[in-house]
Amino acid sequence: MDPREFCTQSRVVIVAGKGGVGKTTVSAALARMAASAGLSVLVVELEGKSGLAAAFGSLELLGYTERMLAPGIKARSVTADEALLEYLDEHALSKMARKLATSGLIDVVSTAAPGIKDILILGKVKQLEQSRAADLVILDAPAAGHALSFLQSAKALVDVVRSGVVRAQAQGVLEMLTDPSRCQVLLVTIPEETPVNEVVETADALRTKVGVALAGVVVNGLYEVLDGLDADPEKVALAQSVGLFEGEADVLRTAATFRQRRQELQQEQMTRLTDALALPQMVLPAIFAVDLGLADVDTLAEALARGVAELPAPPPRPQSSASGSSSAPKFVTRW
């Protein structure tokens, strides 16, 4: 599949997975790949998260206002408080917005009605999607456990709230989440037992409880497979006329044993993942750096593009019915 085709399957891609598997890194690599394919990209970072700007070489944290991180790539953060205040301000309720901001009432409401904050954030994402803020909107989602409740919030509110603005907003978000041409989830894991178990469970829950389409799974942090790890360091050194310091052979044996076990572990987990989850897989190499920079992101973007190129082309989308029930977007800016 062509990377541009992959990035235009839906207008929103939600990157989700267990904490620590590299969702933010994958979001940055996906953005870079999409921009290289000629698409405009907007990456959305949620409150409490950070690191996306640093991956593009910026020390300044993201704010609610969009900021250019690289050619073709903009980014911003979205918080429930700011999303609600913006909504009220757009509807000529700026005085109420200021009172809410200073009184802490937003937190009271969100505690009394779980899911409200999530809907405010997802509603903002929906508004960005409908207004075509970019060709591709990438949402760096919360960790897997929270991500599931985050994405379930729309359906939960639709089931509970019978009318009014909240139900309309939740219904609109649910329609976006369950339309594959508008939104898909890209799962991220690493080749270890617990993250693989969790990504399989998350995939099943997203399909059955949310109804969102899954674009595939990225297996992050793969060690390059090295040959000759079972060779004896002393014999190899002797054959190459290389001298070893005292104890160096033991250190090399320990390192080789660790690497060999790591390779066996990741192969075992990759096999488990393939057997348990019928989704397209893309693999990204391990990057051994304390802080990833733009050069590292580009390396991962190139690896992601190679993985995408090996995927089969998606089936053709069904044509709109004659009755006019087209899935074509409505260009609106209110949400």
Side-chain angles (χ1 to χ4, degrees):
M1 186 189 303
D2 181 78
R4 183 183 179 90
E5 186 177 21
F6 179 84
C7 294
T8 54
Q9 292 183 103
S10 63
R11 295 190 292 277
V12 175
V13 171
I14 300 172
V15 180
K18 180 179 173 63
V21 299
K23 295 187 304 298
T24 298
T25 300
V26 172
S27 297
L30 177 62
R32 198 69 167 167
M33 182 182 77
S36 296
L39 301 174
S40 61
V41 183
L42 173 61
V43 188
V44 176
E45 186 178 77
L46 299 187
E47 55 186 325
K49 293 181 66 67
S50 62
L52 181 69
F56 286 90
S58 174
L59 299 178
E60 184 182 353
L61 296 178
L62 296 175
Y64 198 71
T65 303
E66 292 177 7
R67 179 154 61 88
M68 189 70 71
L69 288 183
I73 302 173
K74 298 178 292 184
R76 62 178 297 168
S77 69
V78 171
T79 69
D81 291 2
E82 289 172 308
L84 178 57
L85 297 182
E86 181 186 51
Y87 176 84
L88 293 174
D89 188 59
E90 288 180 350
H91 289 75
L93 296 171
S94 56
K95 290 184 178 180
M96 181 183 293
R98 287 193 294 271
K99 288 182 179 180
L100 286 172
T102 57
S103 67
L105 188 58
I106 295 176
D107 289 330
V108 174
V109 172
S110 64
T111 301
I116 289 293
K117 280 197 170 185
D118 294 336
I119 283 298
L120 287 168
I121 292 172
L122 286 168
K124 180 59 182 178
V125 173
K126 175 174 69 73
Q127 182 255 326
L128 293 170
E129 177 258 333
Q130 289 186 311
S131 64
R132 296 297 182 93
D135 296 325
L136 176 65
V137 177
I138 299 171
L139 176 61
D140 186 5
H146 183 198
L148 185 57
S149 61
F150 174 69
L151 295 175
Q152 278 185 286
S153 60
K155 187 176 187 303
L157 287 173
V158 166
D159 291 341
V160 172
V161 182
R162 296 304 175 188
S163 61
V165 175
V166 171
R167 180 184 172 83
Q169 179 70 293
Q171 183 64 47
V173 168
L174 187 60
E175 289 171 1
M176 177 189 73
L177 293 176
T178 55
D179 183 346
S181 70
R182 297 177 65 189
C183 180
Q184 295 191 34
V185 170
L186 181 64
L187 296 168
V188 182
T189 189
I190 55 177
E192 295 179 8
E193 184 174 3
T194 300
V196 166
N197 289 343
E198 189 154 341
V199 80
V200 172
E201 293 171 0
T202 300
D204 180 64
L206 288 173
R207 283 168 168 161
T208 59
K209 296 181 180 180
V210 181
V212 66
L214 304 179
V217 56
V218 173
V219 185
N220 192 26
L222 254 70
Y223 281 53
E224 180 186 0
V225 176
L226 302 178
D227 296 324
L229 293 175
D230 55 350
D232 182 81
E234 292 178 328
K235 292 181 179 179
V236 172
L238 183 62
Q240 298 296 322
S241 301
V242 175
L244 295 176
F245 293 106
E246 182 180 354
E248 193 171 4
D250 290 335
V251 172
L252 290 171
R253 288 189 190 98
T254 300
T257 299
F258 171 81
R259 186 60 174 256
Q260 194 165 32
R261 288 177 178 171
R262 179 69 192 189
Q263 290 178 182
E264 292 169 355
L265 169 67
Q266 70 181 24
Q267 183 56 53
E268 176 186 333
Q269 297 307 318
M270 290 287 289
T271 300
R272 287 184 62 238
L273 180 62
T274 300
D275 292 342
L277 197 57
L279 280 177
Q281 287 184 18
M282 294 141 282
V283 300
L284 297 183
I287 301 290
F288 300 100
V290 176
D291 296 308
L292 295 185
L294 186 56
D296 300 314
V297 171
D298 283 344
T299 296
L300 295 174
E302 291 167 4
L304 184 60
R306 289 193 296 272
V308 167
E310 295 176 359
L311 301 180
R317 292 178 182 173
Q319 297 295 320
S320 301
S321 65
S323 61
S325 57
S326 169
S327 60
K330 298 178 181 178
F331 295 90
V332 297
T333 56
R334 302 289 182 180
W335 50 284

